Amino acid sequence: MNSASSNLTNNATAASGAVSPTAGTPATPVAAAISTPVAVTASSNTTAPAAPAVTASPTFSPLYQQIKALITQSLQSGEWKPGELIPSEVELAGRFKVSQGTVRKAIDELAAENLVMRRQGKGTFVSTHHEARAHFRFLRLVPDEGVPHYPESKFIEVKRVRAPADVARLMELKSGDAVIFIKRVQYFDGVPTIVEELWLPGLIFKGLTAERLVEYKGPMYGLFETEFGTRMIRASEQIRAVCADAGAAQLLNIDLGTPLLSSERVSFTYGDKPVELRRGLYLTSRHHYQNELS
Amino acid sequence: MNSASSNLTNNATAASGAVSPTAGTPATPVAAAISTPVAVTASSNTTAPAAPAVTASPTFSPLYQQIKALITQSLQSGEWKPGELIPSEVELAGRFKVSQGTVRKAIDELAAENLVMRRQGKGTFVSTHHEARAHFRFLRLVPDEGVPHYPESKFIEVKRVRAPADVARLMELKSGDAVIFIKRVQYFDGVPTIVEELWLPGLIFKGLTAERLVEYKGPMYGLFETEFGTRMIRASEQIRAVCADAGAAQLLNIDLGTPLLSSERVSFTYGDKPVELRRGLYLTSRHHYQNELS
DNA sequence: AAGTGGTCTAGACCACTTT
DNA sequence: AAGTGGTCTAGACCACTTC
């Protein structure tokens, strides 16, 4: 072993002889001065080379991926909170005993995944849902005319229930686990446009009441982030066309049978852990779902 | 001026003194040995700093962006065709008189935009729609159960018409310009699921006939790419829920009024030039539109 | 063994923001 | 002036593919 707790695996002694001009001592990188010395798992490298690899390195993981994982852990643990400045590249490089370029590559990927935001001259900030920019990240419904703006919410129902089988399966809970159920209608310019049902794990969102939801101004994900320490970082959505049933028709003030977009969305936090199931019905007579393909 | 035609603007003589260990002569980079000496416009940098910039550099564009633009031009001009290998990073670096790292960063962005594909040990290839991987890039409709596979096509109508006003506007043509109109139905496992109308600029797709469409096996974008030299690289889609009208109901063998997903998609080729308008109706009783949000 | 892309380093300078 | 991220370079070695 190296000095103290060497958590970073410098695969096959890579880049040890890379120091050419200066005669510095290329000490093997160590994960020093970090509070949580969690082992680098080297997982999720590409897809699934689970079988005993053919060549030398069975579980190769580039240094910058290990750094990325360490930074992600600090984000997850709340060492750096949403909206806050994280240490500079130079400081992180020193802390992890790697070059600034390696830290940069790690942060580049985190920025591409919207976990952090870089601002030249200022630093790198932890992303937050308390920003105009973030408000429409998961809501792709935009008005046919005019500029997008955030809808008003009216809560219909908030209660603790036991997870039905289908909900439990999608949220990776056990059937019957405690979940919080929320039903609301959202209005654009006073026009009811979205009716939405949410399920949240009861364990994480203990203490979430109708009152707190009504009090809170701004996007729900902001409340989740600030009050419950749970940040949604990714979502998977399935969309269908359906007809309005009696309930939706009444809430949206439309005729029975009006075509609606049906969205079933599972949101994930760090570690690909599902923490929200959201089923929405969108009225698309004056709005549309916007998607950019590339 | 420098040697011959110096097209690359090395802003503010950047990185001239960056050569530290070796005493090489840091000749200002030039776009040498490239067949089409098109001027680097430094456009599309970010959004639109059209106003006379406040600070020193009015139209700052990093070197790697200029390299990226040059490579894109070679892709657009057909110097390197879809599926082909492009020159290695080392060779491009020599050709453009920049370091390999700069070329790498340019290609990294092109790979992120799916214009090229990198394969370690082999090289960098021009992307093509003739690949299983590319077939579902613009078609997000996947079966509720089972693995995705490409649908069969049945063409209903193919004709040359004059562009209606709305079509012309979306395709940036003049109203009345010649366009090719295509109507088809697509079947998954024999079940009619998509009815789709396409408009293509008549000028580009001259000679596209029903016969060639029927003959051609594989995705239409493959045909466009190979036979008409037009590659779709990006698309913008608007989705709504609608009810099946008589025409759609008959073609999809469903009841009148069945809810359908309506998709209006504009596809773009190099230079953000719109080259296709596609209006589709998707039956979502056994399929759904899948979207990953981040 | 040679060639390709992928990783890593060290150092320089630029653009931007704040002090 | 100092600090941050952004660009650029040069060189080394690794992983992968092909010869």
Side-chain angles (χ1 to χ4, degrees), chain A residues 22 62-64 98-99 102 105 120-122:
Chain A
T22 65
L63 245 191
Y64 77 88
V98 299
S99 79
T102 301
K105 186 151 186 178
Q120 184 174 121
K122 301 186 76 172

Side-chain angles (χ1 to χ4, degrees), chain A residues 139-183:
Chain A
L139 178 58
R140 297 292 191 72
L141 199 69
V142 298
D144 292 340
E145 291 168 6
V147 294
H149 57 282
Y150 211 74
E152 277 182 276
S153 274
K154 184 176 147 194
F155 290 92
I156 308 294
E157 201 174 359
V158 180
K159 61 181 180 184
R160 287 179 73 87
V161 297
R162 296 193 170 280
D166 61 331
V167 172
R169 182 178 54 82
L170 288 166
M171 299 184 70
E172 293 176 13
L173 298 172
K174 282 194 292 290
S175 196
D177 278 0
V179 292
I180 293 173
F181 172 84
I182 299 171
K183 186 167 185 173

Side-chain angles (χ1 to χ4, degrees), chain B residues 160-179:
Chain B
R160 286 178 74 87
V161 296
R162 296 193 171 278
D166 61 330
V167 172
R169 184 179 53 81
L170 288 166
M171 300 184 70
E172 295 178 11
L173 298 173
K174 284 194 291 289
S175 195
D177 277 1
V179 292

